[in-house]
Amino acid sequence: QVQVAESGGGLVQAGGSLRLSCAAAASGRTFSSYAMGWFRQAPGKERVVVAAINWSGGITYYADSVKGRFTISRDNAKNAVYLQMNSLKPEDTAVYYCAAGRTLSIPTPRTPQEYAYWGQGTQVTVSS
């Protein structure tokens, strides 16, 4: 199992940047055995994936809405995953969640049901 906690959210103007961090504490399985993902949930909408990364960091996935603007990365030595967000838009406003996957069967899971462990979320607000 793994406990995760996000940080780095805040208020930023459109066109600005933020970097979200996710600190993990694993027991049993090592952190490096988990696929990791970033999700977001805007008011009145479902929680959706924005980016995912496999256990080694060699495979990544991005939602079409963030391709070219967001970058997911991980540092297994530090038990950490990051989301660099550039060229932010008002539609990026949401609560952002870090999550750890259930198994290694899928390199970059894309649905909430495929993730077992979640952080508390961090608010990102982008003003126009």
Side-chain angles (χ1 to χ4, degrees):
Q1 61 184 292
V2 58
Q3 293 179 312
V4 296
E6 309 93 337
S7 63
L11 176 64
V12 64
Q13 287 189 311
S17 298
L18 286 172
R19 190 173 86 147
L20 305 184
S21 298
C22 177
S27 60
R29 290 170 58 192
T30 61
F31 172 72
S32 63
S33 71
Y34 292 89
M36 300 294 294
W38 285 97
F39 290 74
R40 68 187 183 190
Q41 187 166 23
K45 295 197 173 186
E46 292 186 336
R47 187 173 301 185
V48 296
V49 67
V50 296
I53 190 166
N54 81 323
W55 66 272
S56 71
I59 304 172
T60 57
Y61 166 82
Y62 297 95
D64 288 344
S65 59
V66 306
K67 284 181 179 177
R69 300 189 297 120
F70 290 11
T71 302
I72 188 171
S73 62
R74 69 189 298 161
D75 186 340
N76 287 340
K78 295 182 177 180
N79 285 8
V81 62
Y82 308 97
L83 186 68
Q84 178 66 46
M85 305 185 294
N86 298 326
S87 301
L88 283 162
K89 305 174 181 179
E91 50 262 46
D92 295 319
T93 295
V95 177
Y96 283 71
Y97 298 89
C98 179
R102 294 184 179 274
T103 71
L104 292 173
S105 61
I106 302 173
T108 54
R110 305 174 187 182
T111 67
Q113 292 73 25
E114 294 171 300
Y115 290 83
Y117 308 102
W118 295 83
Q120 81 289 344
T122 186
Q123 177 71 46
V124 172
T125 302
V126 184
S127 62
S128 60

